[in-house]
Amino acid sequence: MKLPPPLSPLTCLTHLTHLSHLTRLPALPRLPGPRLSSALLGATALELFVLTGRLIVYPFGLAPERDGAAPAETGPPAATDPPIRTTATTATTALLATAPATPPVVLLHGFIDNRSAFVVLRRTLTRHGRRLASLNYSPLTRDVRTAAELLGRHVEEICARTGHDRVDIVGHSLGGLIARYYVQRLGGDRRVRTLVTLGTPHGGTAVAPGAGVHPIVRQMRGGSSVIEELRGPAPGCRTRFVSFWSELDQVMVPVETACVDHPDLDAVNVRVTGIGHLALPVHPTVAAAVREALEAPEAGEDDATAAGTTSAA
């Protein structure tokens, strides 16, 4: 896949085929090449800061959300689905009766994480009226395929409860891979309108800590059976993909592995520089870009094509 030329370490470049309403923000001044090491140092420091914050808020992501925490609605998972737990609140009957035209958004976290990873994105989407459902899957989940099947059952439950035929999904890291498998291999494209992935190893990554002891981590490596299945044909897939990838993501090796590169998929790859893997779901500018991607019209709704830039400083 031919990628666009590199930009400033503090610039996020987007090539958006169907995202015609993205806001153009002024790009920050271009930094000279020798400061790339400074950008990497800054991104690493930010990763450590984000990691510290994650450890602090992690326990709060284990508990169910309180009623009214978000304009979202789903119920508890079936008793036969222990690895994935629905933690979003159930909306009132009146709210269901006035359901907005936009579909619910399902947030799916990465490996050994929980819904607390999306605290910034949740705030951004909620402020713009999106209805949310967070799914926690167990760190003991051993197979992407099993997790994708469970995700599919929960999506069906969300659709039944909200009256919507389709949902949007935002997945970070492994969460994006689980969601893509559901869409591409299990017929989830009939339910998923847009899938946004953040730092997801679509092509497999050479960096997979714990691969020797955890099967699902091995499935994220290049050449795994899951990655090879996703390389297979996917004719007629109805889901549009938007993948955010960062040039300073130290977990994605090579960094381009976080791009969706498949001839049958309607995919847009968004380059982000200046931040690393953990910062992708919590950076305010990335959150705003995700919101705009979810709000973009589907193919056929608007024939205009636009490209935009946004800062991720």
Side-chain angles (χ1 to χ4, degrees):
M1 177 183 62
K2 185 178 180 181
L3 297 175
L7 296 184
S8 158
L10 297 179
T11 300
C12 170
L13 174 65
T14 61
H15 290 272
L16 303 165
T17 303
H18 297 302
L19 311 184
S20 60
H21 298 293
L22 287 185
T23 302
R24 293 177 179 270
L25 299 181
L28 295 181
R30 177 180 292 274
L31 298 180
R35 294 192 62 180
L36 178 59
S37 57
S38 299
L40 180 59
L41 181 61
T44 302
L46 180 59
E47 289 288 278
L48 294 176
F49 178 79
V50 171
L51 177 59
T52 301
R54 290 279 187 88
L55 294 176
I56 294 173
V57 302
Y58 188 89
F60 299 97
L62 297 173
E65 293 175 334
R66 293 178 298 176
D67 290 342
E73 71 291 343
T74 61
T80 56
D81 300 343
I84 292 184
R85 301 184 301 278
T86 302
T87 60
T89 59
T90 302
T92 63
T93 303
L95 185 58
L96 290 177
T98 58
T102 54
V105 180
V106 181
L107 305 177
L108 198 59
H109 60 79
F111 182 60
I112 314 183
D113 211 337
N114 60 36
R115 64 181 178 87
S116 64
F118 294 107
V119 59
V120 174
L121 183 59
R122 288 186 61 86
R123 186 181 304 118
T124 298
L125 295 178
T126 299
R127 284 176 177 173
H128 288 80
R130 297 306 296 265
R131 309 168 75 170
L132 308 176
S134 299
L135 303 181
N136 282 352
Y137 60 90
S138 169
L140 301 180
T141 303
R142 298 172 58 86
D143 194 338
V144 167
R145 303 173 185 87
T146 301
E149 291 173 356
L150 293 172
L151 171 62
R153 291 200 285 271
H154 283 287
V155 167
E156 292 298 323
E157 180 180 321
I158 291 169
C159 289
R161 288 181 177 272
T162 63
H164 285 277
D165 294 328
R166 308 190 79 185
V167 302
D168 291 335
I169 297 180
V170 179
H172 177 232
S173 196
L174 174 60
L177 197 65
I178 292 171
R180 179 178 172 184
Y181 194 93
Y182 162 61
V183 166
Q184 189 176 331
R185 302 293 297 175
L186 301 181
D189 62 311
R190 72 183 183 88
R191 287 298 193 191
V192 180
R193 184 188 68 157
T194 301
L195 171 58
V196 176
T197 64
L198 308 171
T200 290
H202 292 287
T205 177
V207 177
V213 297
H214 204 300
I216 204 168
V217 178
R218 290 196 293 272
Q219 292 180 336
M220 289 189 283
R221 303 198 64 162
S224 73
S225 58
V226 167
I227 298 299
E228 291 305 310
E229 282 186 59
L230 293 178
R231 295 185 190 278
C237 183
R238 291 160 284 189
T239 299
R240 60 183 178 182
F241 294 78
V242 183
S243 62
F244 287 78
W245 63 285
S246 173
E247 291 182 336
L248 297 181
D249 190 333
Q250 301 300 299
V251 179
M252 299 294 107
V253 178
V255 292
E256 294 85 357
T257 195
C259 296
V260 176
D261 183 15
H262 195 292
D264 295 334
L265 301 182
D266 177 11
V268 172
N269 295 307
V270 181
R271 179 193 294 188
V272 180
T273 61
I275 61 176
H277 188 75
L278 295 178
L280 281 169
V282 299
H283 198 285
T285 306
V286 175
V290 169
R291 174 185 62 80
E292 292 173 0
L294 294 176
E295 291 178 350
E298 296 186 76
E301 294 181 9
D302 193 332
D303 295 329
T305 300
T309 60
T310 183
S311 301

